[in-house]
Amino acid sequence: MTETWLLTIHYLTLLILESLGYQGAYTSMAAGHRYVGESTKVPWATSSATDAS
């Protein structure tokens, strides 16, 4: 049940970010244990949009 909830939150977060036109990096709550500050680019981000920031 916990994994299902985390995956649901992950996809809802991505939907909200995409609807806002966000092109940067985000931290996935569904990824499990990560280092502090570790993030990934949103899947639809273009390289030119993320390189400029």
Side-chain angles (χ1 to χ4, degrees), residues 4-24:
T4 304
W5 177 247
L6 288 175
L7 191 59
T8 301
I9 294 298
H10 173 73
Y11 283 122
L12 285 174
T13 301
L14 288 177
L15 283 170
I16 292 169
L17 291 174
E18 198 279 329
S19 70
L20 295 172
Y22 185 74
Q23 295 287 318

Side-chain angles (χ1 to χ4, degrees), residues 28-50:
S28 172
M29 293 173 49
H33 299 287
R34 302 184 106 184
Y35 292 108
V36 173
E38 186 176 349
S39 61
T40 56
K41 296 177 184 175
V42 290
W44 57 87
T46 58
S47 60
S48 61
T50 55

